[in-house]
Amino acid sequence: MSTSTAVSIKVQKTTQSRIKDLDFNNLSFGKVFSDHMFVADYKNGKWGDCQIVPYAPFQMSPAAAVLHYGQAIFEGMKAYKNEKGEVSLFRPIANQKRINTSAERMCMQTIPEEIFMEGLKKLVELDSAWVPTAEGSSLYIRPFLIATDEFIGVHPSDSYRFFIITSPSGAYYSEPVKVLVETSYSRAVEGGVGFAKVSGNYGRSLLPTKIAINRGYQQIIWTDGKTHQYVEESGTMNLMVVIDDVLITPPLGDTILAGITRDSVLTLARDWKMKVEERKLSIIEVMEAYKRGVLQDAFGTGTAATITHISHIGFEGIDYELPPVNTRIFSNKVKKELDNIHLGKVADIHKWMFKL
Ligand code: COI
């Protein structure tokens, strides 16, 4: 065991690395986990017991609050390795801030920046050999926080456990997706938790997504919970369209996650002097643009998915086929630019890459 500096982190290295079993050229998403994980506990009013240990199952009381009332939040982020073998994280401070926004909404203990950042840096450094380099691959990083009180009364937990696990991963979607506009089920409502990265938001999406998959789609486009007239997110991604050369995306608010890729795409579009509108967008407006031939692009943005093109939109029993992906100027350009920024191939003018 060794101990690191700024935040005291005990490190127990694995004696049996699994890296030799990994086929770096054949990675799927989120199925294999690197050798180590970071763990910290909040109890008796303070954070402590920060440690990096071999990735393994852990014990928890069957009465742990997380299992009963869903005090569970998470983040998704990525590390990349450039041609020189240097490892960088993409906008980690934004994830650190967002997990605390989620914690506050779920009445959970926030995580001090130094614990999040030191744990993250030390973990990714230790497992840096697990960061893949094949095109489209990265080390997907999953920080998460759960309530651990052994108590089944409905009450904010007094104890929490924070983890970071990492997974060498390939693309989340290997092809453009066919999406169904969902007008019965809701992901989020005003006053709810849609803006937070709460595990329950993803649990509640499974049934409508399964129904859409059974009908031949890969994902859904959520509409607002009140009128079902306005588009919100698409699956686990923020949704963007280009109509008549204008990039349009629903505005942040109670029901939309403040995606870090979303923000990065909007920032690049504005850098390139593209007209950007963050505003309510009705499905009728999207369909009318389609019929006028001015719906040039539709795509999702997210950490896991990066930029995922939408090939078809299913609405009221009709599948609308969007322009061929190779004709979509903006989404292809922004995807390429983000890939280049991740790998240090272009100037990082916004200082998004955080070198280890
Ligand atoms: C991410 O993009 O990191 C997400 O949250 C999607 C994930 C649920 C796979």
Side-chain angles (χ1 to χ4, degrees):
M1 289 237 178
S2 64
T3 302
S4 88
T5 45
V7 172
S8 171
I9 301 178
K10 282 188 194 151
V11 179
Q12 184 199 335
K13 287 193 193 166
T14 184
T15 52
Q16 287 182 315
S17 174
R18 291 171 283 103
I19 200 163
K20 59 185 178 321
D21 302 330
L22 184 66
D23 178 357
F24 275 93
N25 292 314
N26 221 343
L27 292 171
S28 53
F29 180 87
K31 289 201 174 141
V32 174
F33 298 92
S34 316
D35 277 334
H36 299 93
M37 62 185 186
F38 173 78
V39 187
D41 280 307
Y42 181 84
K43 25 181 199 239
N44 304 323
K46 58 178 186 340
W47 281 101
D49 289 337
C50 297
Q51 38 182 326
I52 289 176
V53 290
Y55 175 89
F58 64 101
Q59 282 201 328
M60 189 166 55
S61 162
V66 63
L67 300 176
H68 301 271
Y69 308 119
Q71 273 190 303
I73 57 176
F74 71 94
E75 275 302 318
M77 52 203 300
K78 282 178 173 172
Y80 299 87
K81 195 178 269 178
N82 69 17
E83 280 169 353
K84 293 188 213 148
E86 296 162 338
V87 174
S88 300
L89 303 163
F90 184 66
R91 305 189 67 180
I93 304 285
N95 295 93
Q96 185 273 321
K97 290 194 186 324
R98 192 171 65 182
I99 201 167
N100 284 340
T101 303
S102 302
E104 278 164 12
R105 176 61 183 86
M106 292 302 286
C107 214
M108 298 170 81
Q109 184 58 46
T110 54
I111 302 156
E113 179 177 335
E114 60 279 13
I115 290 186
F116 185 101
M117 289 304 298
E118 289 302 313
L120 175 67
K121 281 192 285 184
K122 203 160 179 64
L123 178 69
V124 177
E125 257 161 22
L126 182 62
D127 279 339
S128 62
W130 288 79
V131 183
T133 53
E135 197 183 330
S137 68
S138 59
L139 186 73
Y140 185 78
I141 303 169
R142 172 53 59 87
F144 61 104
L145 179 69
I146 57 171
T148 49
D149 269 11
E150 190 173 24
F151 175 56
I152 52 172
V154 180
H155 181 274
S157 187
D158 288 322
S159 56
Y160 293 90
R161 182 165 279 195
F162 174 54
F163 292 85
I164 308 177
I165 57 175
T166 71
S167 172
S169 290
Y172 194 75
Y173 294 109
S174 49
E175 298 288 336
V177 288
K178 192 172 165 183
V179 297
L180 177 67
V181 178
E182 173 58 61
T183 52
S184 304
Y185 292 97
S186 302
R187 174 185 172 275
V189 290
E190 299 294 323
V193 298
F195 68 94
K197 216 159 167 62
V198 173
S199 303
N201 285 342
Y202 298 79
R204 77 160 51 81
S205 74
L206 300 176
L207 177 62
T209 309
K210 183 176 168 185
I211 294 170
I213 289 172
N214 288 342
R215 292 178 55 189
Y217 299 88
Q218 282 86 46
Q219 260 308 343
I220 54 185
I221 290 185
W222 293 105
T223 50
D224 72 282
K226 219 180 202 168
T227 68
H228 292 293
Q229 288 178 24
Y230 295 94
V231 298
E232 297 212 316
E233 298 190 0
S234 179
T236 62
M237 306 176 287
N238 292 109
L239 175 68
M240 300 198 179
V241 298
V242 177
I243 296 178
D244 249 338
D245 296 326
V246 181
L247 179 64
I248 309 172
T249 193
L252 298 182
D254 281 3
T255 61
I256 306 277
L257 184 80
I260 295 161
T261 310
R262 175 189 183 280
D263 179 74
S264 309
V265 168
L266 296 181
T267 301
L268 292 172
R270 289 181 173 119
D271 287 353
W272 297 335
K273 309 284 181 244
M274 183 163 186
K275 190 163 179 217
V276 173
E277 293 178 356
E278 294 178 72
R279 63 164 173 86
K280 285 174 79 164
L281 175 67
S282 71
I283 186 64
I284 295 301
E285 181 180 348
V286 176
M287 288 302 132
E288 279 176 2
Y290 179 89
K291 284 171 192 155
R292 285 191 292 123
V294 291
L295 177 61
Q296 296 151 320
D297 210 339
F299 56 97
T301 68
T303 296
T306 323
I307 306 289
T308 294
H309 293 107
I310 292 175
S311 63
H312 299 74
I313 299 179
F315 180 58
E316 293 183 336
I318 300 176
D319 284 343
Y320 296 88
E321 185 175 358
L322 271 54
V325 165
N326 61 7
T327 65
R328 311 223 197 147
I329 296 169
F330 176 72
S331 56
N332 284 318
K333 181 174 171 190
V334 84
K335 188 173 193 307
K336 181 100 201 121
E337 184 72 4
L338 284 172
D339 287 348
N340 284 339
I341 293 171
H342 294 152
L343 296 176
K345 292 183 175 169
V346 293
D348 177 19
I349 57 171
H350 296 289
K351 310 251 176 299
W352 285 337
M353 299 312 290
F354 183 100
K355 240 189 216 153
L356 288 186

